[in-house]
Amino acid sequence: MPEQVTLIVDGREVPAQKGEKLIAAAERGGTYIPRFCYHPRMRSVGMCRMCLVEVKGPRGYSLQPACYMDVAPGMEIITSSTKVRKAQDGVLEMLLVNHPLDCPVCDKGGECPLQDQTLTFGPGESRFVEEKRHWDKPIPISTLVYLDRERCIQCDRCTRFASEVAGEPLINFAGRGDQVEVGIFPGQPFKSYFSGNTVQICPVGALTATPYRFKARPWDLEQVESTCTSCSVGCRVAVQSSSNHVIRYLGVDSDPVNQSWLCDKGRFDFEAISSPRRLTQPLVKRGDDEIEASWAEALAAAARGIGEVAKLHGPNAVAVIGGARLANEDAYAWAKLAKGIIGTDSTDARLGDGLLAEAVLGLPRATIQEACNARAVLTLAPDLSEELPILHLRLRCAVVEAGLPIVELTPARSGISLLARITLTYRPGEALDLVRQLLGKDGVRSAGPSAPSTPGGAGAQAAALAQARELLGIGEASPGDGVVVILGRPSLAETASSVLAGVAGLVEALPGAKWLPAGRRANINGALDMGLAPGMLPGRVTLEGGRARYTRAWGRVPEHRGSGTTGSLARAAGGEPIALILLGADPISDFPDKRLARMALDRAAFVCSVDCLPNASNARADVVLPAAMYAERAGTTTNLEGRITRLAQKVVPPGNCLPDWMIASELATALGADLGLDSLDAIWDEIAALAPSHVGITRAALAAPGARDGLIAPLPTTPVTLGGRPPGHPPGLPALDPMATPGLSSAEMLADPDVEGAPESWTAAGPGPAAQVVGGHGGDPSIGAISPPSLVSFAGAIRAPEVPRPDAYGLRLVVGRSLFDQGTLLGACPSLAPLSATPRLRVNPYDLDRLGKATGDRVRAHTARAATVVEVIADAGVVRGTAVLGFNLAGGGAGDLIDVTAAVTDIRLEST
């Protein structure tokens, strides 16, 4: 713990920590010192001099900047003397010499520190009568940010954020004297994923956001705290609205998660909520047309279609795809409907781009803070800068500030490569080979020679592997202690099983490591927690492990393990009579294999879509049920740490949209059953009573003051003191009894049908008996007599698929996602949709030259099933023998080239 010191502020004793800045210690003690340039999340620069206070020294009191001085034992300061007041008055008078004083039209008016501090500390009138400086306004420094140069007070907050925090020094001061201005490099706009943060921290109206500019005044806005649902980091946000329209999001300082920062997608995608394209009325297909219908008609049609398929072909002929868009309560309601009433286990919140649910749920979970404070971080994950930007930002700060060593295993260099101490690359399908080399094991399984992992040949690679082993503690007495592994799907063009084979090796070699799942979708972890995955039930328990408990609570559970998204779509595409229920899912744009998704939706016996916006998938649906969006319904969400935080409703849904849990309940009624859930509170009470991973996480615990940043499930079994309480543990809540976590057998792991490319012997058992509609309630007191099932644990080996030998003319495809893609949500955001990049094929210069191509050439990239014409770019960061292409971008992408039934995707290039 930091050493405690005491200082005297205006005659009062104030406790502080050694090394703390004077301005922060005084504020914590109840004395606010005015400031402009100071920000607690950035280094102090002492530029504005607004925070001058009197500090006692050997020669008496002198004026010193409070933001630049560390506290010291016995330090005495005065913050309100005549000398201090005169200094503050003078600073403000100089700042206002050329300030335009256009408060009535400035977006910052009403929440402007310059305005507030001028009234509190500044002069009553100006002594200047000269004409003020004038500049053209506004200047667009990016598509999302405008600059009004005459308002700038040169506090350096925006430029410091861009350089220090984001690591993107794309804006800086230019000019001299009174001509100093914030500028961009000629022809290079402020193209950053974090540009919106500069707007929020600007203390005046110099930087404004284009989606908010001239939309509202602060006193017109109402606000609630909520959680961002743009990715699985779960940043805390303030949702502000006016006249039942969401107007903007602001980052909230949550120390363990986002530390007040937001990515631009999370900050500006509120535009989709008010999109004129919103689905507001149920739709039922009549012939080739979708016509508006009442809820009663639409629910009856959905129940009829689902019920007939289940009755004729068994409950597992009904497949539920999606659910990561939902709140935890919604996901639980749909899991109960699917598994407890319909009787199908074919539910999957992953859209063919995730990993085995047992691996995500069954590995010891780390927190973001633990990753930032780790001995070392190992990444086997997608590009975090594109898919989980704030996690990338937190890791970057840990690297820059504390020297965090990162070891990256990747098929293509990414944003993390710029931060990593060591980057080891592999060709798709050969992750296990690289892991074996890292672990120092002999033997290479792949059919072809492994690509060089580092520049410089075998010698450099051997040195890098040795250094990585040392950083990770491989070979030590307690290997993996203090190590955090960030785990995800590095490429959509290789099967999950090839990655999981490498993961299984790491689990065995690093028993002391903790794991952080890098799933992209917002509540993917909450959806898996609630049982929206084959073989799983709510509370991180397997179908067999929780059978007795959930049969007693729900009345029934599925007899057999079902299929995942890939298996369900393949069955439908193959002609099996399948009913598909899409929960906020658009497989045609979001599933890696677009051809398979289109065939499945065209051939499915029945399709019911529950969604908020129209897309290519629900255009093929027989019934479309309109759902409420983010900020239109309450609930909870779970981030990648397992941290449960609350969602708040701020506006009323348009038209006849309903929350997802209510749609599930009404559909259950239409099926002749009772879901037994009549409110969000009732749903959460049932979750807390039934789900072993959520024991003790009651509504009261979530509402406790100590749970402002959420609670991590499961609650700690052994209290670990952190600021006086266990992390994620509210005051006064007792620790839980430890739960045994037996391993999952290899056979159970290999049975997951969503391990794409698995042999036929891995497929799940066939459908169970004909559906029998039954109800069930979770409030049965006799459930308490049944011992809670053990939480799932990931253990055992995964068999990697056989990878074909690469030929001299082919390139192995690597496919990743971008932050700004052409997904349904961003397509409804006018400010973000144009930011989607044009797909370009990145190839190593050696391979381009070998194939007779050059940068800028248009080539025809083709596989055995499809082809696309794309511009090719030489990139020395791409591994030889591979090619990198984006997914779901403006003008196309890799979706038509990927075959999820193949272990890897190889392409060939031809001239157009």
Side-chain angles (χ1 to χ4, degrees), residues 532-551:
L532 289 181
M536 299 302 299
L537 289 169
R540 303 184 191 175
V541 297
T542 63
L543 188 62
E544 292 307 317
R547 183 175 298 280
R549 185 179 185 85
Y550 282 92
T551 299

Side-chain angles (χ1 to χ4, degrees), residues 85-131:
R85 287 282 187 177
K86 185 175 181 181
Q88 293 169 345
D89 187 292
V91 168
L92 286 165
E93 187 174 34
M94 290 302 296
L95 289 177
L96 296 174
V97 167
N98 273 309
H99 198 79
L101 301 179
D102 56 352
C103 304
V105 298
C106 177
D107 271 338
K108 201 73 173 181
E111 56 183 7
C112 175
L114 178 60
Q115 196 177 50
D116 295 340
Q117 291 175 186
T118 298
L119 293 172
T120 306
F121 305 102
E125 59 184 20
S126 174
R127 293 180 292 165
F128 292 90
V129 296
E130 291 81 8
E131 181 72 13

Side-chain angles (χ1 to χ4, degrees), residues 42-121:
M42 294 186 287
R43 294 191 186 95
S44 295
V45 290
M47 291 183 65
C48 70
R49 289 301 196 259
M50 189 64 205
C51 65
L52 290 173
V53 295
E54 287 196 85
V55 180
K56 188 175 183 180
R59 299 182 180 179
Y61 286 95
S62 62
L63 289 174
Q64 301 289 339
C67 75
Y68 215 68
M69 293 196 71
D70 292 341
V71 298
M75 176 182 282
E76 298 182 34
I77 69 169
I78 299 174
T79 67
S80 57
S81 66
T82 301
K83 186 184 293 187
V84 169
R85 287 282 187 177
K86 185 175 181 181
Q88 293 169 345
D89 187 292
V91 168
L92 286 165
E93 187 174 34
M94 290 302 296
L95 289 177
L96 296 174
V97 167
N98 273 309
H99 198 79
L101 301 179
D102 56 352
C103 304
V105 298
C106 177
D107 271 338
K108 201 73 173 181
E111 56 183 7
C112 175
L114 178 60
Q115 196 177 50
D116 295 340
Q117 291 175 186
T118 298
L119 293 172
T120 306
F121 305 102

Side-chain angles (χ1 to χ4, degrees), residues 398-659:
V399 170
V400 173
E401 299 292 337
L404 171 70
I406 296 178
V407 177
E408 181 188 30
L409 310 183
T410 180
R413 292 184 176 268
S414 66
I416 285 291
S417 303
L418 301 174
L419 308 175
R421 187 82 57 90
I422 300 169
T423 294
L424 300 170
T425 57
Y426 64 91
R427 282 188 305 227
E430 299 175 5
L432 178 58
D433 295 339
L434 181 57
V435 168
R436 284 177 171 171
Q437 294 176 42
L438 177 63
L439 302 180
K441 296 185 177 181
D442 295 330
V444 176
R445 175 202 54 80
S446 66
S450 184
S453 294
T454 57
Q461 180 178 338
L465 288 166
Q467 186 182 0
R469 291 188 199 104
E470 182 180 356
L471 291 173
L472 300 174
I474 296 173
E476 297 181 358
S478 301
D481 280 2
V483 173
V484 172
V485 182
I486 300 178
L487 172 65
R489 188 79 169 272
S491 171
L492 303 181
E494 63 177 319
T495 62
S497 55
S498 65
V499 179
L500 285 169
V503 171
L506 291 172
V507 171
E508 181 183 357
L510 301 173
K514 289 189 174 182
W515 301 72
L516 200 58
R520 180 176 190 256
R521 292 179 179 82
N523 197 28
I524 183 62
N525 295 283
L528 297 180
D529 277 352
M530 295 299 105
L532 289 181
M536 299 302 299
L537 289 169
R540 303 184 191 175
V541 297
T542 63
L543 188 62
E544 292 307 317
R547 183 175 298 280
R549 185 179 185 85
Y550 282 92
T551 299
R552 180 72 64 88
W554 289 356
R556 73 181 296 190
V557 294
E559 294 294 328
H560 305 285
R561 186 186 182 99
S563 56
T565 298
T566 300
S568 296
L569 293 178
R571 290 162 60 198
E576 287 190 38
I578 300 290
L580 299 176
I581 302 175
L582 307 180
L583 300 182
D586 179 14
I588 289 179
S589 69
D590 216 13
F591 185 71
D593 189 335
K594 292 181 181 292
R595 179 173 176 267
L596 177 62
R598 282 191 292 264
M599 290 174 59
L601 289 169
D602 287 338
R603 297 178 182 180
F606 183 81
V607 179
C608 175
S609 174
V610 182
D611 218 327
C612 310
L613 292 158
N615 54 52
S617 296
N618 58 41
R620 291 165 163 80
D622 298 284
V623 176
V624 179
L625 305 176
M629 280 189 77
Y630 176 77
E632 297 174 348
R633 46 108 168 106
T636 60
T637 186
T638 304
N639 80 341
L640 49 80
E641 307 166 290
R643 185 183 303 275
I644 301 170
T645 52
R646 288 182 291 176
L647 300 171
Q649 180 178 353
K650 187 65 203 72
V651 294
V652 177
N656 287 322
C657 296
L658 294 177

Side-chain angles (χ1 to χ4, degrees), residues 149-408:
R149 292 171 291 177
E150 69 274 28
R151 295 177 186 164
C152 180
I153 60 172
Q154 289 89 48
C155 69
D156 201 26
R157 276 190 175 191
C158 60
T159 56
R160 277 185 292 146
F161 171 84
S163 177
E164 292 178 15
V165 181
E168 299 168 332
L170 302 175
I171 54 174
N172 212 328
F173 286 128
R176 297 173 65 88
D178 67 345
Q179 297 300 307
V180 170
E181 61 178 290
V182 172
I184 58 177
F185 294 97
Q188 299 182 35
F190 183 31
K191 192 175 181 181
S192 168
Y193 285 167
F194 308 103
S195 64
N197 293 291
T198 63
V199 174
Q200 181 170 337
I201 64 176
C202 179
V204 291
L207 296 175
T208 52
T210 55
Y212 175 74
R213 190 175 172 90
F214 300 142
K215 292 291 176 62
R217 308 299 270 159
W219 51 82
D220 295 328
L221 301 177
E222 297 175 342
Q223 173 178 305
V224 294
E225 270 197 35
S226 190
T227 305
C228 177
T229 57
S230 296
C231 77
S232 64
V233 173
C235 302
R236 295 294 290 169
V237 298
V239 181
Q240 297 184 336
S241 71
S242 177
S243 301
N244 201 47
H245 284 84
V246 175
I247 300 297
R248 67 173 173 178
Y249 297 156
L250 296 176
V252 171
D253 198 325
S254 176
D255 189 67
V257 186
N258 58 307
Q259 298 186 340
S260 82
W261 312 126
L262 297 177
C263 72
D264 285 353
K265 178 180 178 181
R267 184 179 295 273
F268 298 120
D269 66 5
F270 65 85
E271 292 179 318
I273 299 174
S274 300
S275 170
R277 298 169 49 207
R278 281 290 300 276
L279 296 171
T280 60
Q281 189 73 17
L283 302 173
V284 175
K285 182 165 286 186
R286 300 280 169 80
D288 293 331
D289 299 323
E290 286 184 328
I291 64 170
E292 291 188 356
S294 67
W295 269 104
E297 293 171 325
L299 288 168
R304 185 165 54 251
I306 294 167
E308 287 178 357
V309 170
K311 181 178 179 180
L312 293 173
H313 306 286
N316 268 345
V318 178
V320 179
I321 296 175
R325 176 184 61 78
L326 312 181
N328 289 326
E329 292 84 350
D330 302 320
Y332 178 85
W334 277 100
K336 185 175 182 180
L337 172 62
K339 302 193 177 193
I341 292 179
I342 298 173
T344 179
D345 190 53
S346 296
T347 60
D348 197 355
R350 305 159 298 172
L351 260 70
D353 58 359
L355 296 175
L356 191 70
E358 285 86 345
V360 175
L361 299 176
L363 291 169
R365 194 77 63 95
T367 65
I368 294 173
Q369 197 62 49
E370 285 175 330
C372 293
N373 296 333
R375 163 184 174 169
V377 167
L378 175 65
T379 67
L380 180 58
D383 189 343
L384 300 182
S385 64
E386 296 286 349
E387 302 204 16
L388 302 170
I390 296 300
L391 176 59
H392 173 87
L393 207 63
R394 292 291 311 274
L395 291 174
R396 183 193 177 276
C397 289
V399 170
V400 173
E401 299 292 337
L404 171 70
I406 296 178
V407 177
E408 181 188 30

